[in-house]
Amino acid sequence: MKSRLGALGRELALHLALPRRRAGTPSVLFFPSQGTDDGAARLRAYAMARELTALGWRTAVCPKHLGLAARRRLVRRFAPDLAVMQTARHPLNRPHLFPGLRVVIDLDDADYIDPVSAEPLVRALQDSVGAIAGSRSVARFCRRYTAPVTVVWTGTPPSADAPPAQQGRPPVVTWAASSPVGSPHEVALLAQVLDRLAQRGVDLRFRVYSDDGSEGYRAMMARLVPAGMPCETRAFMGYEAFLGSLDDVAVGLAPLVDLDGFSGGKSFGKVLAYIDRGVPVVTQPVVDHPLFFRHGENGLIVDTVDEWADAIVVLLADAAKRDGIAAVARADLRTRLSTEAAARLTDRFLRALLP
């Protein structure tokens, strides 16, 4: 009974906080896949709702814990012109559960690779009035089942404080994957790159994130890092702490190898954090990266193992070069990879779908 009353109390507070209807103001209700601690939900739902409010929308976000009955009450109370449902990972992010609601599907990952997610995702797309995709490859999949479809890269709010200069940073090279154990193709590539660097005697310290203390993680690190190379791991942490942890990093790696799997649906992910905190990025000419990165200007684009190793050596040897590349990338982030930039594209797309 106590938990039931608590849930009703939270729902009532949500209803009381809903913005009032205003004549001529379009409205959109977001259904995130997770809570505010999840990167995609935080940036593509919660942050997007705030940005669209500044662009003249009446917005609200449905918390992930609300059940179906509560969600339907929220829809009736808010009466949105459109709803944006983020992926189909949440079991209630299904347009057919809300008859009459005009739903746009927002998909920023290759969920269709997972057989468990594929069927509900296809049904959700078929029942939608359009889709927002996080990359070109995801957009191609969405267009099989719905139209119109647009590409909106995941953006991030740039940090208010400038990152520290590269001069004086230790030679830390990082791979900030959210699930390194689940990325065996990328592990195999980086293992070859690190082996080349070890053979050359390059002075560096390699850092990997999302250490869960498991035997699987330890085994992955043993495959990845050559014997004798200084390395460190960091446990999974909140986003603000993660940003702060990058302030002593010299080079950020963004390998994408498994293009027929989940890597093929990636856009920028942890690259956003690298750029925000002044870390020059080394990546590959795959997915949408060539549309943003310009080799030698705002990042380094490489292909072969030797090119990866060469790029890391060049950057570690020249702090001024790192600062220059990072500064251009950070300026480009504001204009092309910020939540403000993403909101402008989303605003244009959603307005075209208004009833």
Side-chain angles (χ1 to χ4, degrees):
M1 176 64 73
K2 186 176 181 180
S3 63
R4 170 69 175 163
L5 290 174
L8 289 173
R10 289 192 296 272
E11 183 184 346
L12 177 60
L14 173 65
H15 281 249
L16 292 174
L18 291 176
R20 295 181 179 179
R21 295 184 182 87
R22 298 193 305 272
T25 300
S27 56
V28 58
L29 175 61
F30 285 86
F31 290 87
S33 59
Q34 295 292 328
T36 55
D37 56 339
D38 176 79
R42 180 174 55 83
L43 296 173
R44 295 182 73 92
Y46 286 91
M48 192 54 53
R50 290 193 299 271
E51 295 288 351
L52 289 180
T53 298
L55 293 176
W57 286 79
R58 175 173 160 262
T59 70
V61 180
C62 175
K64 67 174 184 177
H65 63 267
L66 288 192
L68 181 58
R71 286 166 181 255
R72 286 173 170 168
R73 288 192 292 269
L74 177 60
V75 169
R76 288 196 298 270
R77 176 90 165 85
F78 190 63
D81 297 311
L82 295 168
V84 175
M85 288 186 177
Q86 190 183 42
T87 78
R89 294 181 189 178
H90 194 294
L92 296 179
N93 281 3
R94 307 285 189 272
H96 72 271
L97 297 176
F98 304 87
L101 185 63
R102 293 172 58 81
V103 174
V104 175
I105 298 299
D106 178 47
L107 183 63
D108 76 323
D109 220 335
D111 288 359
Y112 41 86
I113 299 296
D114 181 0
V116 175
S117 301
E119 185 176 344
L121 176 58
V122 168
R123 169 74 188 274
L125 286 167
Q126 291 172 331
D127 292 337
S128 72
V129 297
I132 301 171
S135 66
R136 292 177 297 175
S137 59
V138 172
R140 285 193 290 271
F141 173 81
C142 291
R143 289 190 182 103
R144 300 180 196 173
Y145 306 103
T146 190
V149 176
T150 193
V151 174
V152 177
W153 293 338
T154 301
T156 189
S159 295
D161 63 313
Q166 279 288 334
Q167 187 68 43
R169 293 197 192 196
V172 175
V173 177
T174 191
W175 178 37
S178 57
S179 178
V181 175
S183 307
H185 299 82
E186 286 72 19
V187 167
L189 170 65
L190 291 183
Q192 295 181 68
V193 174
L194 294 178
D195 186 61
R196 292 282 201 285
L197 294 170
Q199 291 175 25
R200 298 187 192 183
V202 179
D203 177 27
L204 66 85
R205 185 165 78 248
F206 192 64
R207 179 185 297 172
V208 187
Y209 284 78
S210 303
D211 186 350
D212 59 4
S214 67
E215 286 300 318
Y217 195 97
R218 300 274 78 78
M220 181 271 297
M221 289 296 294
R223 293 193 302 273
L224 177 59
V225 184
M229 176 175 283
C231 69
E232 59 188 41
T233 64
R234 296 288 179 89
F236 187 85
M237 61 186 73
Y239 193 68
E240 290 304 317
F242 171 59
L243 287 178
S245 77
L246 294 174
D247 283 354
D248 67 348
V249 172
V251 180
L253 308 183
L256 291 172
V257 180
D258 183 23
L259 300 182
D260 291 328
F262 280 101
S263 294
K266 298 291 185 184
S267 53
F268 294 91
K270 295 299 185 292
V271 166
L272 297 171
Y274 290 160
I275 296 173
D276 186 46
R277 299 317 299 163
V279 179
V281 178
V282 183
T283 189
Q284 294 165 276
V286 296
V287 294
D288 286 8
H289 287 189
L291 301 181
F292 176 82
F293 288 108
R294 302 180 302 282
H295 181 69
E297 293 184 41
N298 64 355
L300 293 183
I301 300 178
V302 297
D303 196 4
T304 68
V305 169
D306 284 327
E307 287 175 353
W308 273 95
D310 290 343
I312 293 168
V313 169
V314 166
L315 288 174
L316 288 178
D318 192 340
K321 185 178 186 68
R322 299 199 304 270
D323 268 329
I325 288 175
V328 175
R330 201 159 186 263
D332 289 340
L333 180 142
R334 290 185 175 277
T335 59
R336 303 186 65 199
L337 279 178
S338 63
T339 46
E340 182 180 355
R344 288 194 296 268
L345 296 174
T346 302
D347 169 62
R348 187 185 312 158
F349 183 72
L350 294 181
R351 286 184 186 274
L353 293 175
L354 289 172

